[in-house]
């Protein structure tokens, strides 16, 4: 059946994202969208070269390992679909920008650029999770009952993770509706969420250095690179005592990034408490944050007024 929801193509649709790392949103969106293309009769495969980061539990990493390619297939003719990203600078390097047929994203900054290029095939909406947009596509095409259980679970966890369990300011009605819609498929219970976070926190405490350093974004702040880490959990107390108050986190960041006077901070989200702790030991970064966001540092920590996502910090850094 042909439809006007997708650009028609006989070529294989490669679903991909940024090259830096794969987080739970990228993973869910890319597996779900490639599956949707196949359900609609097109050849499609998810393809990522980056490592799966700390937002994906170990047992999921094992489960999904064979469900996507680690490099572009060696032969074939391809079109590209991008998920959870719209800044062309960070796309996987194998993406031919002239052969992009659709983009799904919820980050800020490139809405007009892509609208002008792709028109109705660009879906950049400021919802909490990109997974919400992919779920909505399943609903629109009436394919929700063909969505495999394992992928439904990933979409669900991506929505939870990207909206800090619907507590983040970026959460929209569309995210809430998507979450309820997936629950209605009846595959799983709400314990999935506490299970997910207990895996994530366990991983974080056991492999702190890698989890921290594998999820750092770079953003220009007043002409300088600023490195921004993010850690999200139900309860941050143990982590803060073990790794932040001891100076361990600072040591890891400085080993990897610091030249003198480097701008850097880490956004620690405590979902149960409903706020973030913003951590840095760099004096200039503290001053910039205090001026820009009106949070006040007490030692190396500033407490936010509500739960902020890193992408909101990035949006508002000026
Ligand atoms: Mn996302």
């Amino acid at each position: 059946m042909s439809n006007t929801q997708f650009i028609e193509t006989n070529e294989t649709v490669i679903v991909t994202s940024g090259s830096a790392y794969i987080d739970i949103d990228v993973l869910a969106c890319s597996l779900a969208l490639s599956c949707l293309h196949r359900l609609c009769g097109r050849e499609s495969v998810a393809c990522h070269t980056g490592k799966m980061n700390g937002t994906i539990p170990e047992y999921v990493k094992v489960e999904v390992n064979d469900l996507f390619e680690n490099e572009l297939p060696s032969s074939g003719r391809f079109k590209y679909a991008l998920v959870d990203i719209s800044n062309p600078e960070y796309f996987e390097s194998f993406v031919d920008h002239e052969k992009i047929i659709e983009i799904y994203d919820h980050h800020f900054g490139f809405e007009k650029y892509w609208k002008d290029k792709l028109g109705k095939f660009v879906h950049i909406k400021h919802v909490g999770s990109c997974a919400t947009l992919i779920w909505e596509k399943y609903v629109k095409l009436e394919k929700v009952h063909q969505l495999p259980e394992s992928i439904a679970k990933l979409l669900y966890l991506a929505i939870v993770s990207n909206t800090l369990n619907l507590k983040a300011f970026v959460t929209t009605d569309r995210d809430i509706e998507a979450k309820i819609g997936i629950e209605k498929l009846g595959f799983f219970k709400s314990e999935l969420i506490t299970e997910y976070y207990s895996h994530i926190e366990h991983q974080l405490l056991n492999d702190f250095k890698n989890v921290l350093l594998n999820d750092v974004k770079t953003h220009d702040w007043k002409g300088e690179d600023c490195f921004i880490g993010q850690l999200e959990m139900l309860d941050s107390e143990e982590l803060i005592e073990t790794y932040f108050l001891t100076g361990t986190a600072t040591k890891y960041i400085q080993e990897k990034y610091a030249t003198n006077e480097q701008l850097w901070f880490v956004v620690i989200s405590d979902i149960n408490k409903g706020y973030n702790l913003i951590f840095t030991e760099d004096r200039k970064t503290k001053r910039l944050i205090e001026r820009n966001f009106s949070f006040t540092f007490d030692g190396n920590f500033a407490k936010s007024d509500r739960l902020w996502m890193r992408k909101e910090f990035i949006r508002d850094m000026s």
Side-chain angles (χ1 to χ4, degrees):
M1 191 183 75
S2 93
N3 60 61
T4 55
Q5 296 291 325
F6 290 119
I7 291 179
E8 282 306 320
T9 178
N10 295 321
E11 296 167 48
T12 302
V13 179
I14 303 288
V15 183
T16 189
S17 185
S19 58
Y21 53 79
I22 307 169
D23 69 13
I24 185 87
D25 206 20
V26 168
L27 180 68
C29 291
S30 132
L31 295 185
L33 185 61
S34 58
C35 178
L36 185 59
H37 275 292
R38 291 193 298 275
L39 289 171
C40 293
R42 271 174 298 274
E43 278 189 42
S44 181
V45 54
C47 186
H48 303 277
T49 64
K51 272 202 196 133
M52 289 187 264
N53 79 5
T55 63
I56 304 173
E58 281 305 324
Y59 73 94
V60 174
K61 289 183 190 171
V62 176
E63 278 171 14
V64 300
N65 215 16
D66 296 333
L67 301 182
F68 64 88
E69 301 294 329
N70 296 114
E71 53 184 46
L72 199 63
S74 55
S75 64
R77 288 157 55 81
F78 309 121
K79 291 279 199 271
Y80 299 89
L82 276 296
V83 292
D84 201 32
I85 193 163
S86 50
N87 183 343
E89 201 185 324
Y90 299 116
F91 289 177
E92 288 275 13
S93 61
F94 59 69
V95 173
D96 180 341
H97 290 215
E98 296 310 311
K99 293 189 174 171
I100 294 171
I101 56 167
E102 55 180 350
I103 293 194
Y104 296 82
D105 191 25
H106 62 141
H107 294 85
F108 304 91
F110 288 84
E111 297 84 342
K112 189 176 179 318
Y113 175 84
W114 287 110
K115 205 81 206 164
D116 290 348
K117 276 183 109 115
L118 292 175
K120 69 171 183 173
F121 298 108
V122 45
H123 310 271
I124 304 178
K125 292 282 175 303
H126 300 141
V127 290
S129 165
C130 190
T132 294
L133 302 177
I134 308 291
W135 165 258
E136 288 177 348
K137 193 82 176 181
Y138 270 82
V139 173
K140 202 170 218 169
L141 296 176
E142 298 180 357
K143 299 285 186 197
V144 295
H145 295 292
Q146 285 161 271
L147 179 63
E149 179 173 346
S150 57
I151 296 179
K153 215 178 197 176
L154 288 175
L155 287 174
Y156 188 78
L157 292 176
I159 294 171
V160 167
S161 163
N162 269 236
T163 61
L164 305 176
N165 201 17
L166 307 181
K167 286 185 182 177
F169 197 65
V170 296
T171 309
T172 66
D173 289 344
R174 293 168 68 170
D175 299 299
I176 297 168
E177 212 173 294
K179 184 169 174 261
I180 293 169
I182 302 172
E183 277 165 6
K184 280 190 183 151
L185 296 176
F187 287 140
F188 41 78
K189 304 220 170 66
S190 59
E191 290 91 82
L192 190 67
I193 298 172
T194 37
E195 261 171 47
Y196 170 72
Y197 279 108
S198 85
H199 280 281
I200 294 302
E201 285 169 34
H202 183 80
Q203 211 157 284
L204 186 51
L205 289 166
N206 281 288
D207 191 19
F208 177 76
K209 184 177 183 179
N210 285 318
V211 175
L212 174 70
L213 297 180
N214 287 340
D215 191 357
V216 173
K217 283 205 174 166
T218 312
H219 189 75
D220 179 275
W221 207 0
K222 300 198 187 294
E224 284 179 56
D225 276 348
C226 180
F227 298 105
I228 314 162
Q230 104 178 318
L231 300 165
E232 293 167 347
M233 65 216 81
L234 290 179
D235 182 346
S236 65
E237 228 157 272
E238 188 181 352
L239 181 95
I240 287 182
E241 273 169 28
T242 316
Y243 292 110
F244 286 86
L245 295 177
T246 54
T248 311
T250 304
K251 190 184 91 190
Y252 291 153
I253 287 170
Q254 290 184 337
E255 272 169 17
K256 180 155 178 191
Y257 295 105
T259 53
N260 249 349
E261 300 279 294
Q262 180 62 57
L263 301 180
W264 66 272
F265 63 96
V266 181
V267 179
I268 305 162
S269 303
D270 191 309
I271 298 172
N272 285 345
K273 294 199 183 81
Y275 58 73
N276 317 96
L277 290 169
I278 301 130
F279 177 86
T280 182
E281 293 200 32
D282 177 64
R283 283 170 53 204
K284 192 170 170 193
T285 309
K286 285 181 193 174
R287 261 202 321 274
L288 283 172
I289 290 174
E290 289 187 334
R291 265 185 220 156
N292 199 112
F293 294 97
S294 69
F295 304 141
T296 310
F297 274 88
D298 180 6
N300 297 322
F301 293 95
K303 201 169 107 178
S304 67
D305 50 342
R306 57 163 173 85
L307 271 173
W308 286 61
M309 311 287 289
R310 175 172 56 189
K311 60 172 148 313
E312 295 176 273
F313 280 99
I314 291 176
R315 180 194 60 196
D316 294 349
M317 282 159 72
S318 58

